[in-house]
Amino acid sequence: MERDDELHFVVDTANAEASDAETIDEDFFGWDSEAEADTEAFGDIIEEERFAEAKECLQGGKPLFLIQRSHQHAALIPAALNHINTAHNSSLNLGVVAPIPRMRPSGASGIPTFFRNTEIAPVQIADPECFARPDSYGAVLADQRDGKPFAGPSTSTKWPYFHRNLSSGWTADWVADVIRVQREQGATVFLTPGLWLNPADRAESLRVLRDCVSWARAETRDYENLAVNVTIPYTWLTTERLRDSLLAELLDMDEEVFYVRVRWPLLAQPYGQLASPEILDGYVELASVCEENDKFLILPNTALTGWAALAWGASGFSTGIGSGERAFADTKVIKIKRTTPRPAPTNRTFRRSLLHVVDVDTDSRLSALPGQSVCGCEFCRAQTPGLWDKARAGAHYLATVADAVAEASDYSRGRRAGTRAIARGARDFRDSASAIVPLSGANDPKHLDLWLDRLS
């Protein structure tokens, strides 16, 4: 039972009136209807060009690097995108993801404003996150968060599709609403609803997925881009029967772009990497099968696991500033008595030479080792000595991960060899540095050995 003297913290493992124009003599503006038609036609051309630019990013070749819009510190995302675009325009395709039910439809914090501020990224996705509906997987998500819903009512109630009563089942009309909302918000790649695929009802889950894709395609115009949105627990990757059924379903579809979000188990640390051999093996098979069959696979919320998956055959991935944007993983609630002093936060930063997040003190000690140095990116240079700005640390993470994506993709012997070389360098540095600067607990990059086992 919840106590009045407790504080609960959810930890992700890893929120002018119109003028009186009608009173003016209509004859004075006799040309308005023609001018308005020209303006609308011009607007349609601009829209089609935006979709065409996004489609180019979904053709393969350069990897797609997506940044998830975070609840906190999102103001630095445009600056991070500009930095990445300047440094790696020839090596990466860029995109952003806005979580519809956790944002507003207008205003300074609305999705259209976010898309305008990040228009340098051709791929702009407004994720409907329908898995979080109470009749999909939302009740379980709320349970893990001590009753707090994944998408709070202050924003989710502004989107009728998210709370629309569908007691008789999913319908084509509802899916059409999901697509229309994304269009109205200015997305350049639409997603199908992405309802939770229940492994206990495999056949029915796949039937609903198939129906939603068919209904979404019927609502999509010829020039618009559509990606099949799949949300699954990790057991779909680790259980052979489920994995085979999923892969057969994806390959049987005419669609070419897939956006596959996998719910991970609770991570040992909020900013850690996935360290499950079984799940990584599932990603290897999913990515390689998609590549062999010319399917464009995007792995949202996968942080550096998504980077490694590019070498296995994935075409893109997303990450973000907060732990919830980096990993779609089980959560837990930490309860602290109000009379107990809150522990001081641990400041962390992403260490490129380790491909891992470490605490700031450890990072400073590693920087002093031979051949190492402090990061010289614009976001680290802007840190104030003696203080710690989490937003700048997050932008540093995004920029540095983009560096790794570009470096592996530009490698002379191919992306897989480039990824292997970078991961091997990080492992070798870990092994040599740990004798001087112990790397234990949250500072230990346990994932490196698992990656290298699958990059041989």
Side-chain angles (χ1 to χ4, degrees):
M1 180 179 295
E2 182 176 340
R3 293 165 48 105
D4 291 337
D5 64 344
E6 290 179 335
L7 295 174
H8 291 194
F9 300 92
V10 177
V11 180
D12 289 319
T13 62
N15 124 46
E17 294 292 336
S19 64
D20 234 351
E22 63 270 16
T23 64
I24 301 176
D25 189 344
E26 292 182 3
D27 291 338
F28 186 75
F29 290 109
W31 48 269
D32 271 5
S33 59
E34 182 179 347
E36 183 176 344
D38 288 344
T39 300
E40 289 178 358
F42 182 72
D44 290 342
I45 292 172
I46 294 298
E47 280 303 294
E48 291 194 30
E49 287 179 350
R50 292 180 66 239
F51 282 101
E53 289 175 4
K55 185 181 290 291
E56 283 294 315
C57 298
L58 305 176
Q59 302 304 307
K62 296 191 292 186
L64 176 61
F65 181 66
L66 291 168
I67 296 177
Q68 294 271 345
R69 198 267 189 188
S70 50
H71 176 64
Q72 293 182 315
H73 313 307
L76 266 177
I77 290 177
L81 274 171
N82 288 331
H83 173 97
I84 295 167
N85 184 66
T86 299
H88 304 301
N89 181 52
S90 62
S91 304
L92 306 177
N93 287 318
L94 296 179
V96 292
V97 182
I100 294 180
R102 292 182 284 143
M103 292 185 67
R104 298 179 182 276
S106 61
S109 60
I111 296 174
T113 301
F114 175 66
F115 281 164
R116 283 195 299 272
N117 291 339
T118 58
E119 63 184 358
I120 198 170
V123 174
Q124 298 191 315
I125 296 173
D127 191 337
E129 295 191 331
C130 293
F131 65 84
R133 281 179 54 110
D135 52 5
S136 187
Y137 193 57
V140 177
L141 293 173
D143 242 13
Q144 290 186 6
R145 300 161 64 85
D146 209 21
K148 181 181 178 182
F150 185 81
S154 65
T155 55
S156 66
T157 53
K158 299 182 181 298
W159 308 99
Y161 81 87
F162 193 77
H163 289 285
R164 180 173 166 182
N165 189 327
L166 295 169
S167 55
S168 299
W170 316 105
T171 66
D173 181 58
W174 173 73
V175 172
D177 280 346
V178 173
I179 296 297
R180 282 195 291 269
V181 165
Q182 297 174 66
R183 182 183 294 124
E184 290 166 358
Q185 292 301 304
T188 59
V189 177
F190 302 156
L191 300 181
T192 62
L195 294 163
W196 183 253
L197 268 62
N198 183 359
D201 198 351
R202 171 174 52 105
E204 176 64 11
S205 292
L206 292 175
R207 184 195 65 78
V208 170
L209 172 67
R210 191 162 51 248
D211 286 346
C212 286
V213 172
S214 176
W215 293 331
R217 176 50 70 188
E219 177 63 23
T220 308
R221 298 162 185 163
D222 288 343
Y223 62 85
E224 293 174 332
N225 304 306
L226 181 68
V228 177
N229 188 8
V230 181
T231 308
I232 54 177
Y234 68 87
T235 50
W236 281 89
L237 295 185
T238 58
T239 305
E240 184 177 3
R241 180 172 60 92
L242 291 172
R243 187 174 63 247
D244 288 347
S245 296
L246 176 66
L247 290 173
E249 191 68 44
L250 301 188
L251 296 183
D252 192 50
M253 291 183 186
D254 292 333
E255 304 298 330
E256 297 179 351
V257 183
F258 294 86
Y259 187 89
V260 181
R261 178 191 283 109
V262 180
R263 184 71 170 179
W264 293 350
L266 186 72
L267 295 178
Q269 59 196 73
Y271 289 93
Q273 303 300 321
L274 181 67
S276 164
E278 296 79 14
I279 301 176
L280 288 174
D281 287 340
Y283 273 123
V284 171
E285 183 167 357
L286 172 65
S288 61
V289 167
C290 283
E291 181 182 45
E292 290 167 5
N293 290 274
D294 297 321
K295 302 293 188 181
F296 193 98
L297 175 65
I298 303 170
L299 298 173
N301 307 106
T302 48
L304 289 183
T305 300
W307 170 76
L310 294 175
W312 300 324
S315 301
F317 73 101
S318 83
T319 188
I321 290 178
S323 59
E325 289 76 53
R326 300 186 194 187
F328 181 60
D330 286 345
T331 60
K332 64 179 179 180
V333 175
I334 297 177
K335 299 180 180 181
I336 302 176
K337 290 185 177 181
R338 293 180 184 275
T339 54
T340 303
R342 292 182 61 178
T346 301
N347 296 324
R348 304 182 189 278
T349 189
F350 179 70
R351 182 81 196 179
R352 170 64 170 80
S353 57
L354 278 178
L355 296 175
H356 190 51
V357 173
V358 298
D359 64 71
V360 172
D361 289 341
T362 297
D363 182 67
S364 296
R365 295 175 64 192
L366 292 171
S367 295
L369 295 177
Q372 297 293 305
S373 62
V374 298
C375 178
C377 80
E378 62 180 274
F379 306 108
C380 288
R381 293 199 307 270
Q383 290 281 9
T384 303
L387 301 175
W388 189 249
D389 189 314
K390 290 185 178 179
R392 291 192 175 101
H396 152 79
Y397 162 79
L398 294 174
T400 310
V401 171
D403 291 343
V405 177
E407 183 180 336
S409 297
D410 292 342
Y411 199 72
S412 59
R413 292 190 288 115
R415 185 179 301 168
R416 188 181 184 91
T419 304
R420 183 169 58 242
I422 294 170
R424 185 180 293 136
R427 182 196 59 188
D428 292 346
F429 175 66
R430 176 202 65 187
D431 293 345
S432 62
S434 58
I436 305 170
V437 182
L439 297 172
S440 59
N443 291 326
D444 183 8
K446 300 180 179 67
H447 54 282
L448 294 176
D449 295 313
L450 294 173
W451 287 353
L452 286 166
D453 287 344
R454 290 155 182 81
L455 287 168
S456 57

